Short mmCIF file of all heavy atoms in Angstrom, two decimals:
data_model
loop_
_atom_site.label_atom_id
_atom_site.label_comp_id
_atom_site.label_asym_id
_atom_site.label_seq_id
_atom_site.Cartn_x
_atom_site.Cartn_y
_atom_site.Cartn_z
N ARG A 124 7.43 19.80 -8.61
CA ARG A 124 8.31 20.80 -9.24
C ARG A 124 9.71 20.75 -8.63
O ARG A 124 10.71 20.86 -9.35
CB ARG A 124 7.70 22.19 -9.07
CG ARG A 124 6.50 22.44 -9.98
CD ARG A 124 5.79 23.72 -9.63
NE ARG A 124 4.69 24.00 -10.56
CZ ARG A 124 3.68 24.81 -10.29
NH1 ARG A 124 3.62 25.44 -9.11
NH2 ARG A 124 2.73 25.00 -11.19
N GLU A 125 9.79 20.58 -7.31
CA GLU A 125 11.11 20.48 -6.67
C GLU A 125 11.83 19.22 -7.14
O GLU A 125 13.04 19.23 -7.39
CB GLU A 125 10.94 20.46 -5.16
CG GLU A 125 12.26 20.40 -4.41
CD GLU A 125 12.07 20.40 -2.89
OE1 GLU A 125 10.93 20.63 -2.42
OE2 GLU A 125 13.07 20.15 -2.18
N LEU A 126 11.08 18.12 -7.28
CA LEU A 126 11.66 16.88 -7.78
C LEU A 126 12.21 17.06 -9.19
O LEU A 126 13.34 16.63 -9.49
CB LEU A 126 10.60 15.78 -7.76
CG LEU A 126 10.95 14.46 -8.47
CD1 LEU A 126 12.08 13.76 -7.73
CD2 LEU A 126 9.74 13.56 -8.57
N ILE A 127 11.44 17.69 -10.06
CA ILE A 127 11.88 17.91 -11.44
C ILE A 127 13.16 18.73 -11.47
O ILE A 127 14.09 18.44 -12.24
CB ILE A 127 10.75 18.61 -12.24
CG1 ILE A 127 9.56 17.66 -12.41
CG2 ILE A 127 11.26 19.07 -13.61
CD1 ILE A 127 8.32 18.33 -12.95
N ALA A 128 13.22 19.75 -10.63
CA ALA A 128 14.42 20.59 -10.58
C ALA A 128 15.64 19.78 -10.15
O ALA A 128 16.75 19.94 -10.71
CB ALA A 128 14.19 21.76 -9.63
N ARG A 129 15.47 18.90 -9.17
CA ARG A 129 16.60 18.10 -8.68
C ARG A 129 17.05 17.08 -9.73
O ARG A 129 18.25 16.81 -9.87
CB ARG A 129 16.21 17.38 -7.39
CG ARG A 129 16.00 18.32 -6.20
CD ARG A 129 15.91 17.56 -4.90
NE ARG A 129 17.18 16.91 -4.59
CZ ARG A 129 17.40 16.21 -3.48
NH1 ARG A 129 16.43 16.05 -2.61
NH2 ARG A 129 18.57 15.65 -3.26
N LEU A 130 16.09 16.52 -10.47
CA LEU A 130 16.45 15.54 -11.49
C LEU A 130 17.28 16.17 -12.61
O LEU A 130 18.04 15.47 -13.29
CB LEU A 130 15.19 14.89 -12.07
CG LEU A 130 14.43 13.92 -11.16
CD1 LEU A 130 13.15 13.47 -11.82
CD2 LEU A 130 15.30 12.71 -10.80
N GLY A 131 17.11 17.45 -12.81
CA GLY A 131 17.85 18.13 -13.87
C GLY A 131 19.30 18.38 -13.54
O GLY A 131 20.10 18.76 -14.42
N ILE A 132 19.69 18.19 -12.28
CA ILE A 132 21.08 18.42 -11.84
C ILE A 132 21.86 17.12 -11.94
O ILE A 132 21.36 16.05 -11.56
CB ILE A 132 21.10 18.94 -10.39
CG1 ILE A 132 20.27 20.22 -10.27
CG2 ILE A 132 22.53 19.18 -9.93
CD1 ILE A 132 20.07 20.67 -8.84
N ARG A 133 23.07 17.18 -12.43
CA ARG A 133 23.89 15.98 -12.55
C ARG A 133 24.17 15.40 -11.18
O ARG A 133 24.32 16.13 -10.20
CB ARG A 133 25.20 16.29 -13.28
CG ARG A 133 25.02 16.72 -14.73
CD ARG A 133 26.31 16.56 -15.51
NE ARG A 133 26.70 15.17 -15.61
CZ ARG A 133 26.19 14.29 -16.48
NH1 ARG A 133 25.25 14.67 -17.33
NH2 ARG A 133 26.61 13.06 -16.51
N PRO A 134 24.24 14.07 -11.08
CA PRO A 134 24.49 13.45 -9.78
C PRO A 134 25.84 13.86 -9.21
O PRO A 134 26.81 14.06 -9.94
CB PRO A 134 24.45 11.94 -10.08
CG PRO A 134 24.63 11.83 -11.56
CD PRO A 134 24.07 13.07 -12.15
N SER A 135 25.90 13.99 -7.88
CA SER A 135 27.12 14.46 -7.24
C SER A 135 27.88 13.36 -6.51
O SER A 135 29.10 13.45 -6.32
CB SER A 135 26.78 15.57 -6.23
OG SER A 135 25.89 15.09 -5.24
N ARG A 136 27.18 12.33 -6.08
CA ARG A 136 27.84 11.26 -5.31
C ARG A 136 27.77 9.92 -6.03
O ARG A 136 28.72 9.16 -6.03
CB ARG A 136 27.20 11.15 -3.94
CG ARG A 136 27.78 10.04 -3.08
CD ARG A 136 27.34 10.14 -1.64
NE ARG A 136 27.95 9.11 -0.83
CZ ARG A 136 27.97 9.09 0.48
NH1 ARG A 136 27.38 10.08 1.16
NH2 ARG A 136 28.55 8.10 1.15
N SER A 137 26.64 9.64 -6.65
CA SER A 137 26.45 8.39 -7.38
C SER A 137 26.60 8.65 -8.87
O SER A 137 26.82 9.79 -9.30
CB SER A 137 25.06 7.83 -7.06
OG SER A 137 24.82 6.64 -7.77
N SER A 138 26.47 7.60 -9.66
CA SER A 138 26.55 7.77 -11.12
C SER A 138 25.19 8.12 -11.71
O SER A 138 25.10 8.48 -12.88
CB SER A 138 27.07 6.48 -11.76
OG SER A 138 26.20 5.39 -11.48
N ILE A 139 24.12 7.98 -10.91
CA ILE A 139 22.76 8.27 -11.38
C ILE A 139 22.00 9.03 -10.30
O ILE A 139 22.40 9.06 -9.14
CB ILE A 139 21.98 6.98 -11.73
CG1 ILE A 139 21.93 6.05 -10.51
CG2 ILE A 139 22.56 6.29 -12.94
CD1 ILE A 139 21.04 4.86 -10.68
N ARG A 140 20.90 9.65 -10.74
CA ARG A 140 19.92 10.18 -9.80
C ARG A 140 18.69 9.29 -9.84
O ARG A 140 18.28 8.87 -10.92
CB ARG A 140 19.52 11.62 -10.17
CG ARG A 140 20.50 12.67 -9.72
CD ARG A 140 19.93 14.07 -9.86
NE ARG A 140 20.87 15.05 -9.37
CZ ARG A 140 20.97 15.43 -8.09
NH1 ARG A 140 20.16 14.91 -7.19
NH2 ARG A 140 21.87 16.31 -7.72
N MET A 141 18.12 9.03 -8.66
CA MET A 141 16.92 8.21 -8.61
C MET A 141 15.85 8.91 -7.79
O MET A 141 16.15 9.65 -6.85
CB MET A 141 17.22 6.83 -8.01
CG MET A 141 18.18 6.00 -8.86
SD MET A 141 18.15 4.23 -8.43
CE MET A 141 16.55 3.71 -9.03
N ALA A 142 14.59 8.67 -8.18
CA ALA A 142 13.47 9.28 -7.47
C ALA A 142 12.34 8.27 -7.35
O ALA A 142 12.08 7.51 -8.29
CB ALA A 142 12.99 10.53 -8.20
N ILE A 143 11.70 8.26 -6.20
CA ILE A 143 10.49 7.46 -5.99
C ILE A 143 9.35 8.41 -5.70
O ILE A 143 9.45 9.27 -4.82
CB ILE A 143 10.66 6.48 -4.82
CG1 ILE A 143 11.73 5.43 -5.14
CG2 ILE A 143 9.33 5.79 -4.50
CD1 ILE A 143 12.02 4.46 -3.99
N ILE A 144 8.26 8.27 -6.46
CA ILE A 144 7.03 9.03 -6.20
C ILE A 144 6.01 8.03 -5.68
O ILE A 144 5.43 7.25 -6.44
CB ILE A 144 6.51 9.73 -7.47
CG1 ILE A 144 7.58 10.65 -8.06
CG2 ILE A 144 5.25 10.54 -7.14
CD1 ILE A 144 7.17 11.31 -9.38
N ASP A 145 5.82 8.01 -4.36
CA ASP A 145 4.86 7.10 -3.75
C ASP A 145 3.48 7.76 -3.76
O ASP A 145 3.36 8.97 -3.95
CB ASP A 145 5.29 6.78 -2.32
CG ASP A 145 4.81 5.41 -1.86
OD1 ASP A 145 3.94 4.83 -2.55
OD2 ASP A 145 5.29 4.93 -0.82
N ASP A 146 2.44 6.96 -3.55
CA ASP A 146 1.06 7.47 -3.57
C ASP A 146 0.76 8.18 -4.89
O ASP A 146 0.04 9.18 -4.93
CB ASP A 146 0.80 8.44 -2.42
CG ASP A 146 1.12 7.85 -1.05
OD1 ASP A 146 0.74 6.68 -0.84
OD2 ASP A 146 1.72 8.53 -0.22
N ALA A 147 1.31 7.66 -5.98
CA ALA A 147 1.19 8.37 -7.27
C ALA A 147 -0.25 8.49 -7.74
O ALA A 147 -0.56 9.38 -8.54
CB ALA A 147 2.03 7.66 -8.34
N GLU A 148 -1.14 7.63 -7.23
CA GLU A 148 -2.55 7.73 -7.63
C GLU A 148 -3.19 9.02 -7.13
O GLU A 148 -4.25 9.41 -7.59
CB GLU A 148 -3.34 6.52 -7.11
CG GLU A 148 -3.51 6.45 -5.61
CD GLU A 148 -2.35 5.80 -4.90
OE1 GLU A 148 -1.32 5.52 -5.56
OE2 GLU A 148 -2.45 5.57 -3.68
N THR A 149 -2.53 9.71 -6.17
CA THR A 149 -3.08 10.96 -5.64
C THR A 149 -2.53 12.19 -6.36
O THR A 149 -2.85 13.31 -5.98
CB THR A 149 -2.81 11.09 -4.13
OG1 THR A 149 -1.41 11.27 -3.90
CG2 THR A 149 -3.29 9.85 -3.38
N LEU A 150 -1.68 11.99 -7.35
CA LEU A 150 -1.21 13.12 -8.14
C LEU A 150 -2.38 13.74 -8.91
O LEU A 150 -3.07 13.04 -9.65
CB LEU A 150 -0.14 12.68 -9.13
CG LEU A 150 1.26 12.35 -8.58
CD1 LEU A 150 2.06 11.58 -9.63
CD2 LEU A 150 2.00 13.61 -8.16
N GLY A 151 -2.60 15.04 -8.74
CA GLY A 151 -3.65 15.71 -9.49
C GLY A 151 -3.23 15.93 -10.94
O GLY A 151 -2.04 15.83 -11.27
N PRO A 152 -4.16 16.21 -11.82
CA PRO A 152 -3.81 16.46 -13.23
C PRO A 152 -2.73 17.52 -13.42
O PRO A 152 -1.83 17.33 -14.26
CB PRO A 152 -5.15 16.88 -13.85
CG PRO A 152 -6.18 16.19 -13.02
CD PRO A 152 -5.63 16.20 -11.61
N PRO A 153 -2.75 18.67 -12.69
CA PRO A 153 -1.67 19.65 -12.87
C PRO A 153 -0.29 19.07 -12.54
O PRO A 153 0.68 19.33 -13.25
CB PRO A 153 -2.05 20.78 -11.90
CG PRO A 153 -3.53 20.67 -11.73
CD PRO A 153 -3.80 19.20 -11.77
N ALA A 154 -0.21 18.27 -11.46
CA ALA A 154 1.07 17.68 -11.09
C ALA A 154 1.52 16.66 -12.12
O ALA A 154 2.71 16.58 -12.48
CB ALA A 154 0.96 17.03 -9.71
N GLN A 155 0.59 15.86 -12.64
CA GLN A 155 0.94 14.89 -13.68
C GLN A 155 1.39 15.58 -14.96
O GLN A 155 2.36 15.15 -15.61
CB GLN A 155 -0.26 13.98 -13.95
CG GLN A 155 -0.63 13.09 -12.78
CD GLN A 155 -1.71 12.08 -13.15
OE1 GLN A 155 -1.59 11.37 -14.15
NE2 GLN A 155 -2.76 12.00 -12.34
N ASN A 156 0.71 16.65 -15.33
CA ASN A 156 1.11 17.40 -16.53
C ASN A 156 2.48 18.03 -16.35
O ASN A 156 3.26 18.15 -17.31
CB ASN A 156 0.06 18.46 -16.86
CG ASN A 156 -1.19 17.84 -17.46
OD1 ASN A 156 -1.12 16.90 -18.25
ND2 ASN A 156 -2.35 18.38 -17.10
N ALA A 157 2.79 18.45 -15.12
CA ALA A 157 4.11 19.02 -14.86
C ALA A 157 5.22 18.00 -15.07
O ALA A 157 6.34 18.35 -15.46
CB ALA A 157 4.16 19.58 -13.43
N LEU A 158 4.89 16.71 -14.82
CA LEU A 158 5.88 15.64 -15.01
C LEU A 158 6.09 15.27 -16.47
O LEU A 158 7.09 14.64 -16.81
CB LEU A 158 5.44 14.40 -14.25
CG LEU A 158 5.81 14.28 -12.77
CD1 LEU A 158 5.07 13.11 -12.15
CD2 LEU A 158 7.31 14.11 -12.60
N LEU A 159 5.14 15.62 -17.32
CA LEU A 159 5.16 15.12 -18.69
C LEU A 159 6.44 15.46 -19.44
O LEU A 159 7.01 14.61 -20.13
CB LEU A 159 3.95 15.64 -19.47
CG LEU A 159 2.68 14.80 -19.37
CD1 LEU A 159 1.56 15.43 -20.16
CD2 LEU A 159 2.93 13.37 -19.86
N LYS A 160 6.90 16.70 -19.33
CA LYS A 160 8.10 17.10 -20.08
C LYS A 160 9.31 16.28 -19.64
O LYS A 160 10.13 15.86 -20.48
CB LYS A 160 8.38 18.59 -19.91
CG LYS A 160 9.56 19.07 -20.74
CD LYS A 160 9.69 20.57 -20.72
CE LYS A 160 10.91 21.05 -21.50
NZ LYS A 160 10.88 20.61 -22.91
N THR A 161 9.42 16.03 -18.32
CA THR A 161 10.52 15.22 -17.81
C THR A 161 10.41 13.79 -18.33
O THR A 161 11.43 13.15 -18.65
CB THR A 161 10.52 15.23 -16.27
OG1 THR A 161 10.67 16.58 -15.82
CG2 THR A 161 11.66 14.39 -15.72
N LEU A 162 9.18 13.26 -18.43
CA LEU A 162 8.99 11.91 -18.93
C LEU A 162 9.23 11.83 -20.43
O LEU A 162 9.69 10.80 -20.95
CB LEU A 162 7.58 11.42 -18.60
CG LEU A 162 7.26 11.24 -17.11
CD1 LEU A 162 5.80 10.87 -16.92
CD2 LEU A 162 8.15 10.18 -16.48
N GLU A 163 8.91 12.92 -21.16
CA GLU A 163 9.12 12.94 -22.61
C GLU A 163 10.58 13.14 -22.97
O GLU A 163 11.09 12.56 -23.93
CB GLU A 163 8.27 14.05 -23.23
CG GLU A 163 6.77 13.78 -23.21
CD GLU A 163 5.97 15.00 -23.60
OE1 GLU A 163 6.55 16.10 -23.63
OE2 GLU A 163 4.75 14.86 -23.85
N GLU A 164 11.27 14.00 -22.21
CA GLU A 164 12.69 14.30 -22.47
C GLU A 164 13.48 14.08 -21.19
O GLU A 164 13.95 15.03 -20.55
CB GLU A 164 12.84 15.74 -22.96
CG GLU A 164 12.05 16.04 -24.23
CD GLU A 164 12.12 17.50 -24.61
OE1 GLU A 164 12.94 18.22 -24.02
OE2 GLU A 164 11.36 17.91 -25.51
N PRO A 165 13.64 12.83 -20.78
CA PRO A 165 14.26 12.54 -19.49
C PRO A 165 15.76 12.83 -19.49
O PRO A 165 16.43 12.64 -20.51
CB PRO A 165 14.00 11.05 -19.29
CG PRO A 165 13.90 10.53 -20.69
CD PRO A 165 13.26 11.61 -21.50
N PRO A 166 16.30 13.31 -18.36
CA PRO A 166 17.76 13.43 -18.24
C PRO A 166 18.39 12.05 -18.35
O PRO A 166 17.85 11.06 -17.84
CB PRO A 166 17.95 14.02 -16.83
CG PRO A 166 16.62 14.57 -16.44
CD PRO A 166 15.60 13.74 -17.15
N GLY A 167 19.51 11.94 -19.00
CA GLY A 167 20.14 10.64 -19.21
C GLY A 167 20.65 10.00 -17.94
O GLY A 167 20.93 8.80 -17.92
N HIS A 168 20.78 10.80 -16.87
CA HIS A 168 21.36 10.27 -15.63
C HIS A 168 20.30 9.98 -14.57
O HIS A 168 20.64 9.73 -13.41
CB HIS A 168 22.34 11.30 -15.05
CG HIS A 168 21.73 12.66 -14.89
ND1 HIS A 168 21.94 13.68 -15.80
CD2 HIS A 168 20.90 13.15 -13.94
CE1 HIS A 168 21.26 14.76 -15.39
NE2 HIS A 168 20.63 14.45 -14.27
N ALA A 169 19.03 9.98 -14.93
CA ALA A 169 17.96 9.88 -13.92
C ALA A 169 17.03 8.70 -14.19
O ALA A 169 16.76 8.35 -15.35
CB ALA A 169 17.16 11.17 -13.88
N ILE A 170 16.55 8.09 -13.11
CA ILE A 170 15.53 7.04 -13.17
C ILE A 170 14.43 7.41 -12.18
O ILE A 170 14.70 7.70 -11.01
CB ILE A 170 16.11 5.65 -12.82
CG1 ILE A 170 17.16 5.23 -13.85
CG2 ILE A 170 14.99 4.61 -12.76
CD1 ILE A 170 17.85 3.92 -13.50
N ILE A 171 13.18 7.40 -12.65
CA ILE A 171 12.03 7.70 -11.81
C ILE A 171 11.22 6.42 -11.62
O ILE A 171 10.97 5.69 -12.58
CB ILE A 171 11.13 8.77 -12.47
CG1 ILE A 171 11.91 10.05 -12.73
CG2 ILE A 171 9.92 9.07 -11.59
CD1 ILE A 171 11.15 11.07 -13.58
N ILE A 172 10.82 6.16 -10.37
CA ILE A 172 9.92 5.05 -10.08
C ILE A 172 8.68 5.62 -9.42
O ILE A 172 8.75 6.24 -8.35
CB ILE A 172 10.57 4.01 -9.14
CG1 ILE A 172 11.85 3.45 -9.76
CG2 ILE A 172 9.58 2.88 -8.84
CD1 ILE A 172 12.60 2.49 -8.83
N MET A 173 7.53 5.44 -10.07
CA MET A 173 6.25 5.86 -9.49
C MET A 173 5.55 4.63 -8.94
O MET A 173 5.51 3.59 -9.58
CB MET A 173 5.39 6.56 -10.54
CG MET A 173 5.96 7.90 -10.99
SD MET A 173 5.00 8.69 -12.33
CE MET A 173 3.47 9.04 -11.48
N VAL A 174 5.00 4.77 -7.73
CA VAL A 174 4.34 3.66 -7.04
C VAL A 174 2.87 4.03 -6.87
O VAL A 174 2.55 5.06 -6.28
CB VAL A 174 4.99 3.40 -5.67
CG1 VAL A 174 4.28 2.27 -4.94
CG2 VAL A 174 6.47 3.09 -5.83
N THR A 175 1.98 3.18 -7.38
CA THR A 175 0.56 3.51 -7.33
C THR A 175 -0.30 2.29 -6.99
O THR A 175 0.02 1.16 -7.38
CB THR A 175 0.07 4.10 -8.67
OG1 THR A 175 -1.31 4.43 -8.58
CG2 THR A 175 0.28 3.12 -9.82
N ALA A 176 -1.37 2.55 -6.26
CA ALA A 176 -2.35 1.51 -5.98
C ALA A 176 -3.46 1.49 -7.03
O ALA A 176 -4.30 0.59 -7.03
CB ALA A 176 -2.95 1.71 -4.59
#
Side-chain angles (χ1 to χ4, degrees):
R124 286 171 176 160
E125 182 180 350
L126 170 67
I127 292 169
R129 292 192 66 178
L130 288 175
I132 303 171
R133 295 199 65 80
S135 59
R136 178 168 182 166
S137 179
S138 60
I139 57 172
R140 279 191 177 274
M141 295 197 70
I143 294 176
I144 304 176
D145 208 347
D146 305 316
E148 68 275 7
T149 68
L150 286 165
Q155 294 187 51
N156 286 322
L158 274 170
L159 273 179
K160 184 171 177 59
T161 300
L162 295 175
E163 290 170 347
E164 301 175 11
H168 53 260
I170 296 176
I171 302 171
I172 301 176
M173 293 176 66
V174 179
T175 181

